[in-house]
Amino acid sequence: MPRHPSLCAQRYFEDFALGEVFALPSRTMTDALFAAFQLASGDNHPVHYDVEYCRAHGMPHMLAHGFQVLIQTAAGAGLFPHMVEESLKGFIEQSSRFLAPVYPGDTLCSTSTVIGLKENSNGKTGVVYVRSTGRNQAGDVVLDYVRWVMVRKRNEASPAPEPIVPTLASNVEADGLGQACPAILAAGWNYDLSGSPHRFSDYEPGERIDHVDGMTVEEAEHMIATRLYQNTAKVHFNQFTEGQGRFGRRLIYGGHVISLARALSFNGLSNAFHLLAINGGRHVAPLFAGGTVFAWSKIAETAEIPGRDDIGALRIVTYATIDQPCAEFPGPAEKGFEDGVILELDYWAAIPR
Amino acid sequence: MPRHPSLCAQRYFEDFALGEVFALPSRTMTDALFAAFQLASGDNHPVHYDVEYCRAHGMPHMLAHGFQVLIQTAAGAGLFPHMVEESLKGFIEQSSRFLAPVYPGDTLCSTSTVIGLKENSNGKTGVVYVRSTGRNQAGDVVLDYVRWVMVRKRNEASPAPEPIVPTLASNVEADGLGQACPAILAAGWNYDLSGSPHRFSDYEPGERIDHVDGMTVEEAEHMIATRLYQNTAKVHFNQFTEGQGRFGRRLIYGGHVISLARALSFNGLSNAFHLLAINGGRHVAPLFAGGTVFAWSKIAETAEIPGRDDIGALRIVTYATIDQPCAEFPGPAEKGFEDGVILELDYWAAIPR
Amino acid sequence: MPRHPSLCAQRYFEDFALGEVFALPSRTMTDALFAAFQLASGDNHPVHYDVEYCRAHGMPHMLAHGFQVLIQTAAGAGLFPHMVEESLKGFIEQSSRFLAPVYPGDTLCSTSTVIGLKENSNGKTGVVYVRSTGRNQAGDVVLDYVRWVMVRKRNEASPAPEPIVPTLASNVEADGLGQACPAILAAGWNYDLSGSPHRFSDYEPGERIDHVDGMTVEEAEHMIATRLYQNTAKVHFNQFTEGQGRFGRRLIYGGHVISLARALSFNGLSNAFHLLAINGGRHVAPLFAGGTVFAWSKIAETAEIPGRDDIGALRIVTYATIDQPCAEFPGPAEKGFEDGVILELDYWAAIPR
């Protein structure tokens, strides 16, 4: 036995091979985890917390939150963050389609395939493109996604692989949406109870919505939120080490930032009740405890979903910031992003018609 | 779409009309929420956490904690705090009757009616009296309560409405108690296991009990505890804004203060096992993280419950303080309350006979 | 009613009698508590969180974590910490055998017998030896353990009892192991998914494993973790009092320290999937919030379990430290322990063969 084993062999850029397949461990999504997600993020979308609301719309049970499903399968019960714990430079959710609803008691696992590799020009890092499929215990595919992960090279001198960059659609098309969203009784949607009268037809491409609310994050909260995915990577948990590192602070897990942004978007988009797909996302800057997260959204597109007359789809781009209220809609700048922006997330959500 | 939508239209004093009825969203009370309440408050009453204990007394399952039921229906899955987020000055629980037990898996919703309005003499604020009914998914009424809510006027110049102040009983009468408390096998009550030998006949009106224990509250804890009710009002969560505000701190939600007080009362009243009704309550002063909550109680009254020989009722007035142990029973003073008092809560609880 | 009742009568050394039997309250282990344990500790052993993983190995459901079962029964829904709240000086888990699996929905209670008493030579404190039996709702014994508890004397002048020190085995023998561990399909164990290829035959007595990871603990986290056991002893919760006390800080509950150590040991021992028995443990030094816990383990012994060809047993001694990475394996010193060591824990765990 090696004297200093990592949880598993650490992977650097050279350790990924095109076409390689690897499986990640599973986790059972008990209703306790639905509650834990809500207690950590402040999310208020009733389809995740109110069984009667769901049954009134013909759903068999509460639906798991799309981001909880995505992050859980991406983290693979903590194994993936450990595989790249020493090498990870960053990641982007490139494209995700939610393909079947997930209910309390379902167990999710994922299988990943390396579909691309490209060394960066600096010769020190490279990008690994991974397609992952999330399945439930019956083998149904619930989620399909692509992400790119930037990792360090083990040895700068090692030769660069032939660059393969997969051709990815810039976004998920509307006709691919809706499979994870059970039919609802749109005529029965209670706009008084959601707190907002706005439905599909009330949103116009181009309009911008300041979500107003801010959520200050504490150390204990983000660590509890991150353990929800069984992610124990030191960058989030080990102040002894991180205190001597680049930031001097524990970095808040990107999965938690995404969850906070979606929770904050409820104010102004409360009828955009369920996630359908993710087109892309970028963790622009780090978030640390003590910071207050704000958010605003742009409606990039509205689309009917072929075969669905109960729901339409809003293509939403949400920006989250740290300590920066969003009345002026801080977003992309000439180079990069304006100060304070920590997240850009482009996704489709279902809204009653 | 307005550029800065709130979760829902903000309501000021002028926006409430006598006789108006509004519904608040529901939430399913999974056993995970029972556990979350206990983890946030430190409550130890076994009827909420021990299925076998409940079954030994003939109950079908664990009982939901009365304060969790009350706060959940009052907050209405977060919608009510948002309706008055900009206008709220304060509130008092005037009178609540718990009318049926709530079990894991029950979904609670509430309907509210405005039963009174009275502008304050300063012309800037007014009091709205609201009667609310909490129901489960079968339509059974589980809770009936009245609260008054003090909110700002939108416009000081707007005319004062005809004052209507409902006639409210000063307290719930003993013969109205007990409907939310299933029959217990009083002869089988295990006083060794509860840690206290004291039963109904051991308490005398007028006696005072120092609960001794103190509970220090952290920022993360109160925020998690508040999300339990889906309340995301900024005053509890947004340090960026609150740091520039009146207190410079995030205010701890009154619902959490009430829950802590009840949890602390276990020491000295551990056989007062279930809440029956609330006669009134006053949030005397704010609580902030870093503060340590202490509590003491006065037995205001003891009453037999007509038709019940298993339980009696204790009318308890509990005072909670911040950073003030209660050996000297700090409470009402000539004007207002003594230093350190943050809560006065007057309620009935069931205790074995 | 006394003016200052404790939760229950406080017990000092003189209050324990040889042969005395006392029962402690029960608690239902819902799957929400399994999740809460994981969210507090960072534990990642899949048998506690993944129903399909368990069923693939023929288990009926997820297994409760051994330390959660032990600490829950030891704390007795909070009653035992309260009994000795004023008198407790320290305790050691002497010997525990896990005798039956515990599943979600099981209710655990415990009965304790005083099997030994010995006053210390200083005449101010004494040791109480207690054997406890944990049972589920069917009356099956799930846990059997002995602990010694050091408590103050009420009155230094009171006569010392005849010292009775029970003869305890220095450790649990291998042939007594495995009853709490359902059979697994060892040939079907997925070493890729566990992240580690190491099985029973890969570990050698004497080898040492640095678990590498560190976990910084926050005040809110340890308080939430401690309430999981319904332990509300002030030393963990009351900064107002503790701020004026010996440490100036809230002391982190030993049960939480043990849980963190086991969680950290996953890195390097991830296939040691379930606890079988505890041979002994010592809380060497206190842990406070803000500290970062590290851990390393020594394999003290490996043993086949008579009648079992699916699992073997590793006897593991894990050391946890505060703010002290474990590359140099800090442990026992000439007198006591090296700086930074907070816990020594000697236990058996199951690992596939």
Side-chain angles (χ1 to χ4, degrees):
Chain A
M1 269 288 294
R3 191 177 180 224
H4 295 282
S6 300
L7 173 62
C8 56
Q10 288 293 291
R11 284 177 171 249
Y12 291 80
F13 182 63
E14 300 92 320
D15 301 319
F16 290 93
L18 194 70
E20 175 186 10
V21 177
F22 54 92
L24 293 175
S26 47
R27 174 77 187 258
T28 303
M29 301 287 291
T30 61
D31 66 75
L33 298 192
F34 286 37
F37 178 88
Q38 188 264 322
L39 291 170
S41 66
D43 187 84
N44 269 352
H45 293 90
V47 291
H48 312 307
Y49 315 115
D50 187 339
V51 170
E52 299 303 318
Y53 187 95
C54 292
R55 289 182 177 149
H57 286 282
M59 302 179 208
H61 212 308
M62 302 185 291
L63 303 177
H65 195 290
F67 285 137
Q68 186 173 17
V69 172
L70 171 67
I71 299 162
Q72 175 124 336
T73 48
L79 187 61
F80 190 77
H82 272 279
M83 285 168 60
V84 297
E85 188 167 9
E86 299 296 330
S87 63
L88 185 68
K89 289 287 290 180
F91 61 88
I92 277 188
E93 314 299 338
Q94 194 65 27
S95 165
S96 309
R97 292 184 306 155
F98 296 102
L99 297 172
V102 174
Y103 297 109
D106 283 350
T107 299
L108 302 181
C109 65
S110 67
T111 309
S112 298
T113 307
V114 178
I115 61 170
L117 290 167
K118 181 174 179 306
E119 183 165 312
N120 289 332
S121 52
N122 62 17
K124 296 181 181 182
T125 59
V127 177
V128 183
Y129 298 84
V130 180
R131 171 181 296 284
S132 301
T133 303
R135 288 184 169 81
N136 66 18
Q137 65 281 6
D140 303 326
V141 177
V142 303
L143 172 69
D144 176 87
Y145 70 95
V146 175
R147 65 193 322 214
W148 69 246
V149 186
M150 182 157 68
V151 288
R152 289 190 190 88
K153 291 179 65 173
R154 186 184 299 279
N155 183 343
E156 285 185 42
S158 55
E162 184 70 32
I164 307 281
V165 178
T167 306
L168 300 164
S170 59
N171 60 275
V172 179
E173 293 299 326
D175 59 2
L177 300 172
Q179 295 174 71
C181 187
I184 62 161
L185 305 174
W189 191 266
N190 195 322
Y191 291 91
D192 288 336
L193 287 186
S194 71
S196 160
H198 306 295
R199 67 193 69 193
F200 178 64
S201 51
D202 291 308
Y203 291 90
E204 295 284 333
E207 66 173 300
R208 299 184 298 183
I209 302 161
D210 174 8
H211 299 303
V212 181
D213 294 336
M215 179 75 69
T216 306
V217 188
E218 301 293 325
E219 299 282 10
E221 288 180 302
H222 80 81
M223 295 198 293
I224 290 169
T226 303
R227 291 188 200 110
L228 189 52
Y229 307 106
Q230 291 177 257
N231 178 357
T232 55
K234 66 176 179 289
V235 64
H236 309 305
F237 292 98
N238 187 333
Q239 181 58 33
F240 184 87
T241 305
E242 300 307 305
Q244 302 160 41
R246 176 181 168 200
F247 296 121
R249 304 290 307 279
R250 281 156 281 176
L251 180 71
I252 293 179
Y253 182 40
H256 188 50
V257 180
I258 287 171
S259 304
L260 291 170
R262 169 66 175 163
L264 289 167
S265 78
F266 189 69
N267 191 351
L269 284 166
S270 45
N271 292 314
F273 69 97
H274 195 40
L275 295 167
L276 299 174
I278 294 168
N279 298 307
R282 184 184 310 250
H283 296 281
V284 173
L287 175 65
F288 302 103
T292 300
V293 182
F294 294 88
W296 68 275
S297 297
K298 176 177 71 182
I299 305 300
E301 212 178 318
T302 67
E304 297 191 1
I305 301 171
R308 297 294 290 260
D309 58 8
D310 58 330
I311 56 170
L314 297 182
R315 181 176 175 186
I316 302 165
V317 181
T318 297
Y319 293 90
T321 68
I322 178 173
D323 294 336
Q324 178 69 60
C326 297
E328 302 305 314
F329 307 113
E334 271 191 40
K335 294 194 178 190
F337 291 82
E338 291 179 55
D339 282 347
V341 177
I342 59 173
L343 174 76
E344 177 188 60
L345 194 66
D346 177 347
Y347 55 100
W348 289 101
I351 185 164
R353 292 184 60 179
Chain B
M1 269 289 295
R3 190 176 180 226
H4 294 284
S6 300
L7 172 63
C8 56
Q10 287 293 292
R11 284 176 171 251
Y12 291 79
F13 183 62
E14 300 91 320
D15 302 317
F16 290 93
L18 194 70
E20 176 185 10
V21 177
F22 54 92
L24 293 174
S26 47
R27 174 77 187 258
T28 303
M29 301 286 292
T30 60
D31 66 75
L33 298 192
F34 286 38
F37 178 87
Q38 187 264 321
L39 292 170
S41 65
D43 187 83
N44 269 352
H45 294 88
V47 290
H48 312 308
Y49 314 115
D50 187 337
V51 170
E52 298 302 319
Y53 186 95
C54 291
R55 288 180 178 151
H57 287 280
M59 301 179 208
H61 212 307
M62 303 186 290
L63 302 178
H65 195 290
F67 284 137
Q68 187 173 15
V69 171
L70 171 67
I71 300 162
Q72 175 125 334
T73 49
L79 187 62
F80 190 76
H82 272 280
M83 285 168 60
V84 296
E85 189 168 8
E86 299 296 330
S87 62
L88 185 68
K89 290 286 290 178
F91 61 89
I92 278 188
E93 315 298 338
Q94 194 65 29
S95 167
S96 309
R97 292 184 306 154
F98 296 102
L99 296 172
V102 174
Y103 297 109
D106 283 349
T107 298
L108 301 181
C109 66
S110 67
T111 310
S112 299
T113 307
V114 178
I115 61 170
L117 291 166
K118 181 177 178 303
E119 182 165 313
N120 289 333
S121 51
N122 62 17
K124 297 181 180 182
T125 59
V127 177
V128 183
Y129 298 83
V130 181
R131 172 181 295 284
S132 301
T133 302
R135 286 186 170 82
N136 66 18
Q137 65 281 6
D140 303 325
V141 177
V142 302
L143 171 70
D144 176 89
Y145 69 96
V146 176
R147 65 193 322 215
W148 66 248
V149 186
M150 183 157 66
V151 290
R152 289 190 190 87
K153 291 178 67 172
R154 186 185 299 279
N155 183 341
E156 287 184 41
S158 57
E162 185 69 32
I164 305 280
V165 178
T167 306
L168 299 165
S170 60
N171 62 275
V172 179
E173 293 300 327
D175 60 2
L177 300 173
Q179 296 175 70
C181 187
I184 62 161
L185 305 172
W189 191 267
N190 194 320
Y191 291 91
D192 287 335
L193 288 187
S194 71
S196 160
H198 305 295
R199 69 194 68 195
F200 178 65
S201 50
D202 291 308
Y203 291 89
E204 295 282 333
E207 67 173 299
R208 299 183 297 182
I209 302 160
D210 174 8
H211 299 304
V212 182
D213 294 335
M215 179 75 69
T216 306
V217 188
E218 301 293 325
E219 298 283 10
E221 288 180 303
H222 80 81
M223 294 198 294
I224 290 169
T226 303
R227 290 188 201 110
L228 188 53
Y229 307 106
Q230 290 176 261
N231 178 357
T232 56
K234 67 176 178 288
V235 64
H236 309 304
F237 292 98
N238 188 334
Q239 181 58 33
F240 184 87
T241 304
E242 299 308 304
Q244 303 161 40
R246 176 181 167 200
F247 296 122
R249 304 290 306 280
R250 280 157 281 176
L251 180 70
I252 294 179
Y253 182 41
H256 187 49
V257 179
I258 286 171
S259 304
L260 291 170
R262 169 65 175 161
L264 289 167
S265 77
F266 189 70
N267 190 352
L269 284 166
S270 45
N271 292 313
F273 69 96
H274 195 41
L275 295 167
L276 299 174
I278 295 168
N279 298 307
R282 185 184 309 251
H283 296 282
V284 173
L287 175 65
F288 302 104
T292 301
V293 182
F294 294 87
W296 69 275
S297 297
K298 175 177 72 181
I299 305 299
E301 212 178 317
T302 67
E304 297 191 0
I305 301 171
R308 297 295 289 260
D309 58 9
D310 57 330
I311 56 170
L314 297 180
R315 180 176 176 187
I316 303 165
V317 181
T318 297
Y319 293 90
T321 67
I322 179 173
D323 295 337
Q324 178 69 60
C326 296
E328 302 305 314
F329 307 113
E334 270 189 40
K335 292 191 176 192
F337 291 81
E338 291 178 55
D339 281 347
V341 176
I342 59 174
L343 174 77
E344 177 188 60
L345 194 66
D346 178 346
Y347 55 101
W348 289 101
I351 184 164
R353 292 184 59 181
Chain C
M1 269 288 294
R3 192 174 179 226
H4 294 282
S6 300
L7 172 66
C8 55
Q10 287 294 292
R11 283 177 172 251
Y12 290 80
F13 183 63
E14 300 92 319
D15 301 318
F16 291 93
L18 194 69
E20 176 186 6
V21 177
F22 54 92
L24 293 174
S26 48
R27 175 78 187 258
T28 303
M29 301 286 292
T30 61
D31 68 75
L33 298 192
F34 286 38
F37 178 87
Q38 187 263 323
L39 292 170
S41 66
D43 187 83
N44 269 352
H45 294 88
V47 290
H48 312 307
Y49 314 115
D50 186 339
V51 171
E52 298 303 319
Y53 186 94
C54 291
R55 288 181 178 151
H57 286 281
M59 302 179 208
H61 212 307
M62 303 185 291
L63 302 178
H65 194 291
F67 284 137
Q68 187 174 16
V69 171
L70 171 67
I71 300 161
Q72 175 126 332
T73 48
L79 187 61
F80 189 76
H82 271 280
M83 285 167 61
V84 297
E85 190 166 10
E86 300 295 330
S87 62
L88 185 68
K89 290 286 288 179
F91 61 88
I92 278 189
E93 315 297 340
Q94 194 64 29
S95 166
S96 308
R97 292 184 307 155
F98 296 102
L99 296 172
V102 175
Y103 297 110
D106 283 350
T107 298
L108 302 180
C109 65
S110 67
T111 310
S112 299
T113 307
V114 178
I115 61 170
L117 290 167
K118 181 175 177 306
E119 184 166 313
N120 290 331
S121 51
N122 63 17
K124 297 181 183 181
T125 59
V127 177
V128 183
Y129 298 84
V130 180
R131 171 180 296 284
S132 300
T133 302
R135 288 184 170 81
N136 65 19
Q137 64 282 4
D140 304 324
V141 177
V142 302
L143 172 70
D144 175 87
Y145 70 96
V146 175
R147 66 193 323 212
W148 69 247
V149 186
M150 183 157 67
V151 289
R152 288 190 191 88
K153 290 178 67 173
R154 185 184 299 279
N155 184 343
E156 286 180 41
S158 55
E162 186 68 33
I164 306 282
V165 178
T167 306
L168 301 165
S170 61
N171 62 276
V172 179
E173 293 300 327
D175 60 1
L177 300 173
Q179 296 175 69
C181 186
I184 62 161
L185 305 172
W189 191 267
N190 194 320
Y191 291 91
D192 288 337
L193 288 187
S194 71
S196 160
H198 304 295
R199 69 194 68 193
F200 178 65
S201 51
D202 291 309
Y203 292 90
E204 295 282 336
E207 67 173 299
R208 298 183 298 182
I209 303 160
D210 175 8
H211 299 303
V212 182
D213 295 336
M215 179 75 69
T216 306
V217 188
E218 301 294 326
E219 299 283 9
E221 288 179 302
H222 80 81
M223 294 198 295
I224 290 169
T226 303
R227 290 189 202 111
L228 189 53
Y229 307 105
Q230 292 177 258
N231 178 357
T232 55
K234 67 176 178 289
V235 64
H236 309 305
F237 292 98
N238 188 335
Q239 181 58 34
F240 184 87
T241 304
E242 300 307 305
Q244 303 161 42
R246 176 182 167 200
F247 296 121
R249 305 288 308 278
R250 281 158 280 177
L251 181 71
I252 293 179
Y253 182 40
H256 187 51
V257 180
I258 286 171
S259 303
L260 291 171
R262 168 67 175 162
L264 289 167
S265 78
F266 189 70
N267 190 352
L269 284 165
S270 45
N271 292 314
F273 70 97
H274 194 40
L275 295 166
L276 299 174
I278 295 167
N279 299 306
R282 184 184 310 249
H283 296 281
V284 172
L287 176 65
F288 301 105
T292 301
V293 183
F294 294 87
W296 70 274
S297 297
K298 174 177 72 181
I299 305 300
E301 212 178 318
T302 68
E304 297 191 359
I305 301 171
R308 298 293 290 260
D309 58 8
D310 58 328
I311 57 170
L314 298 181
R315 181 176 174 186
I316 302 165
V317 181
T318 297
Y319 293 90
T321 68
I322 178 172
D323 295 335
Q324 178 70 61
C326 296
E328 302 305 313
F329 307 112
E334 270 189 41
K335 292 192 179 192
F337 291 82
E338 292 178 53
D339 282 347
V341 176
I342 58 173
L343 174 76
E344 176 188 60
L345 193 65
D346 178 346
Y347 56 101
W348 289 101
I351 185 163
R353 293 183 59 180

